[in-house]
Amino acid sequence: MTQKLTDGTLIRIVDDDEEVRDALSFMLGCKGWKTVAYATAEDFLKGYSSVPPGCVLLDIRMPGMSGLELQARMKEMKLTLPIIFVTGHADVPTAVRTLKMGAFDFLEKPVDAAALTTAIEAAVSISVAEASGSLSGDAIIAVIDEMSPREREITCLLAKGLSNRDIAEHLSLAERTVQGHRNNIYHKLRVHNLKQFTELLDGISL
């Protein structure tokens, strides 16, 4: 595993078992990975961000929304972080179903540390590559055209150098709302910070 993979990436753990969350967080932390853990799929969706790149370690059976339901929801919402299922409720039909739906891997508990590490490295490598992929000029315009009117408005204001606070005051919005739109805009344009955003839009007529 290269140092580059652990720098600027994040492993999201979604499991209702606190001991599993703690064990995975500890094991991965010892290997240099940054992690964040969620007890429910609903909590994961509430806190979702595609930045930084990484992957999701997801259980199958959980109270409320199941892992399979979360995978389907992420697919509907076009949330592209790679999913590695880590579950004690494994059977062939379920594994096949998750993989057909686009899961990166399917591992059984108790999970083998070496197998999990290998799967994470591969999944995160793909996530990092997707995140660093830049868009062509025509693609940038197409992405902006497909944005909501509010997102396009905020994109223009960001390009002019306005801060979140300035934009919030200008549009009579909460600063947190502006930040949410900004995260979505960055995700759609495949950038992670203002410098990348500014460089990407340099020469683009908004």
Side-chain angles (χ1 to χ4, degrees):
M1 177 180 64
T2 65
Q3 186 65 32
K4 183 178 179 181
L5 279 181
T6 56
D7 286 344
T9 59
L10 182 66
I11 311 303
R12 290 84 164 166
I13 301 166
V14 187
D15 197 302
D16 64 308
D17 188 324
E18 184 178 2
E19 291 185 4
V20 171
R21 295 196 305 272
D22 290 346
L24 287 173
S25 296
F26 178 77
M27 183 188 78
L28 295 174
C30 289
K31 295 178 179 295
W33 295 102
K34 296 179 182 64
T35 65
V36 61
Y38 303 91
T40 68
E42 290 85 353
D43 287 343
F44 168 76
L45 284 177
K46 287 178 185 175
Y48 182 87
S49 174
S50 61
V51 180
C55 68
V56 183
L57 304 185
L58 180 57
D59 192 15
I60 291 281
R61 294 185 185 177
M62 296 181 289
M65 187 186 300
S66 71
L68 293 173
E69 290 169 335
L70 175 58
Q71 182 188 24
R73 183 72 62 84
M74 288 178 67
K75 192 175 184 68
E76 290 172 4
M77 298 171 67
K78 298 182 180 179
L79 308 181
T80 58
L81 282 173
I83 295 173
I84 299 172
F85 278 97
V86 181
T87 178
H89 306 284
D91 58 69
V92 173
T94 300
V96 170
R97 177 182 172 187
T98 63
L99 295 172
K100 283 187 175 180
M101 283 281 289
F104 186 82
D105 210 337
F106 191 101
L107 304 175
E108 294 186 55
K109 296 175 183 174
V111 65
D112 178 76
L116 179 60
T117 298
T118 298
I120 289 174
E121 289 175 7
V124 172
S125 295
I126 289 175
S127 181
V128 169
E130 290 179 345
S132 62
S134 58
L135 300 171
S136 66
D138 288 343
I140 294 168
I141 293 171
V143 169
I144 293 173
D145 285 344
E146 291 175 0
M147 288 181 181
S148 69
R150 180 65 82 190
E151 286 175 343
R152 287 197 296 272
E153 191 173 22
I154 292 176
T155 297
C156 290
L157 294 174
L158 286 171
K160 291 178 180 178
L162 273 68
S163 67
N164 286 356
R165 179 176 297 179
D166 293 336
I167 294 171
E169 291 178 357
H170 182 74
L171 299 178
S172 299
L173 297 173
E175 192 169 341
R176 186 173 182 178
T177 300
V178 173
Q179 182 61 50
H181 284 301
R182 184 174 186 153
N183 289 342
N184 289 337
I185 291 165
Y186 279 11
H187 174 62
K188 290 178 180 180
L189 292 174
R190 301 183 191 175
V191 298
H192 301 124
N193 53 53
L194 182 59
K195 182 176 183 292
Q196 292 178 352
F197 173 84
T198 302
E199 290 175 351
L200 187 72
L201 293 185
D202 185 37
I204 301 293
S205 179
L206 298 176

